[in-house]
Amino acid sequence: MVKIYLGPAGIPHSSKKKNTIEGIRTVKELGLNAMEVEFVQGVRMSRETAEETGQVAKELGVRLSVHAPYFINLCSEEKDKIEASKQRILDTADRAELMGADAIAIHIAFYGKMSPEECYQNVKEGLAEVIDKAKEMGIKNVKFGVETMAKETAFGTLDEVISISKELKGVIPYIDWAHTFARQGGEIDYGKIIDRLIKELGLTHINSHFESLVSRKGKYVDEHIPIDANAPPFEPLAKELLKRDISITLICESPELERDALKMKEVLERLGYRLE
């Protein structure tokens, strides 16, 4: 039977205090059971706060994941930027481990002047170094999630993230359903993707984002909007999940964080599923 963890990307707008711990408490009050901690502008949480955050989440039964900073590019032409990127990933993983999060989402690279094949090798080598260093640091439980990306200039096609997850232990696809929808020209077969992740990688848990994207001149672009736009639609994904014995985290990245997360919850309830 499917197990679903659903919640917002970051502190809910309705949280009275704008800090991560209060955000987790608000998530619980809303009847949701997951939250992604956002380090997109930098890892500014102390190690002590990360431990406290993890304790609160565990007590309340809220599953945590973490988003790494946007300023990461393992295919940069500048070596210092690559090294800084590796350190940002490690800092994210360190805090994630302390708070008991299961995975981090990473926007891993841009192709730049490299071919996709050259960039793939750079990502593979750089990420392998990060994983080795993470082991030395005592990071044991956090998965390194390479996110699927909407922009054609970015590393992150579905095939790329699945392939690199096969090659590197500890790496998983972090599926952004809307990004994948855009990258595939406004088409998505949820069931086929889920089955690939199960069959090819043996995944028992999927980490993912959900939102809708703006369409301009017949093409979907990486600009997040409320899920009312149905670009892509959520209900078909919900139906495919309910057919399978899989666990999944669905993080709502809509600008309407908790409103749309609760709309997703309503769809699941209408289809007969109740969040635990």
Side-chain angles (χ1 to χ4, degrees):
M1 183 176 174
V2 70
K3 174 74 174 178
I4 298 174
Y5 299 90
L6 171 63
I11 301 164
H13 298 314
S14 57
S15 184
K16 293 176 183 177
K17 295 181 181 179
K18 303 305 178 184
N19 64 64
T20 302
I21 290 173
E22 287 305 314
I24 292 168
R25 292 193 174 112
T26 302
V27 164
K28 181 67 175 179
E29 290 167 4
L30 289 167
L32 302 171
N33 61 355
M35 191 175 100
E36 184 179 80
V37 179
E38 301 300 293
F39 289 159
V40 294
Q41 300 302 325
V43 182
R44 296 167 185 162
M45 180 184 284
S46 70
R47 302 184 86 243
E48 293 75 18
T49 299
E51 287 184 328
E52 185 182 356
T53 297
Q55 290 168 4
V56 172
K58 186 176 180 180
E59 289 169 7
L60 296 178
V62 175
R63 188 179 183 118
L64 297 181
S65 52
V66 181
H67 202 304
Y70 289 142
F71 318 112
I72 289 171
N73 184 6
L74 293 185
C75 289
S76 174
E77 294 180 40
E78 300 174 50
K79 187 174 180 180
D80 61 335
K81 290 186 177 179
I82 293 175
E83 294 308 311
S85 295
K86 292 175 185 175
Q87 190 59 51
R88 290 184 179 111
I89 297 171
L90 286 168
D91 289 343
T92 303
D94 174 66
R95 303 307 191 277
E97 180 84 9
L98 290 168
M99 69 177 74
D102 70 315
I104 61 176
I106 313 167
H107 295 186
I108 202 78
F110 288 90
Y111 301 132
K113 295 179 180 179
M114 297 181 187
S115 68
E117 293 76 20
E118 289 172 323
C119 185
Y120 183 97
Q121 289 304 314
N122 280 27
V123 168
K124 179 182 171 182
E125 290 169 12
L127 201 47
E129 288 179 25
V130 168
I131 292 167
D132 287 344
K133 180 65 175 177
K135 290 176 183 175
E136 293 174 12
M137 293 168 60
I139 297 169
K140 302 175 182 178
N141 301 308
V142 174
K143 300 294 185 185
F144 294 81
V146 179
E147 186 173 333
T148 55
M149 302 297 287
K151 294 178 181 177
E152 294 180 359
T153 55
F155 182 98
T157 65
L158 182 64
D159 286 342
E160 284 172 336
V161 301
I162 288 176
S163 179
I164 203 157
S165 298
K166 288 178 180 177
E167 294 203 65
L168 295 177
K169 187 176 181 180
V171 174
I172 60 167
Y174 207 113
I175 305 297
D176 188 304
W177 299 103
H179 288 177
T180 304
F181 169 78
R183 197 70 176 258
Q184 296 179 166
E187 297 181 359
I188 192 162
D189 185 329
Y190 294 118
K192 184 177 180 180
I193 292 172
I194 296 166
D195 288 343
R196 278 193 71 184
L197 298 175
I198 295 170
K199 188 175 292 185
E200 295 185 35
L201 297 173
L203 291 187
T204 57
H205 184 83
I206 298 169
N207 288 85
S208 71
H209 293 146
F210 198 90
E211 71 279 344
S212 286
L213 298 181
V214 168
S215 176
R216 289 202 180 97
K217 298 180 181 179
K219 186 175 182 179
Y220 290 96
V221 297
D222 191 10
E223 184 177 326
H224 296 191
I225 56 176
I227 63 171
D228 302 337
N230 284 320
F234 176 67
E235 188 164 329
L237 172 58
K239 287 180 176 177
E240 291 299 330
L241 290 171
L242 296 179
K243 294 177 184 177
R244 291 166 173 80
D245 182 15
I246 188 70
S247 171
I248 188 168
T249 297
L250 290 165
I251 295 297
C252 179
E253 279 200 323
S254 157
E256 301 286 346
L257 284 177
E258 63 264 49
R259 188 205 74 154
D260 279 357
L262 290 170
K263 282 191 172 185
M264 292 161 69
K265 181 184 177 185
E266 288 173 6
V267 170
L268 291 167
E269 289 175 345
R270 190 170 70 247
L271 295 173
Y273 183 85
R274 297 287 185 274
L275 292 185
E276 294 181 10

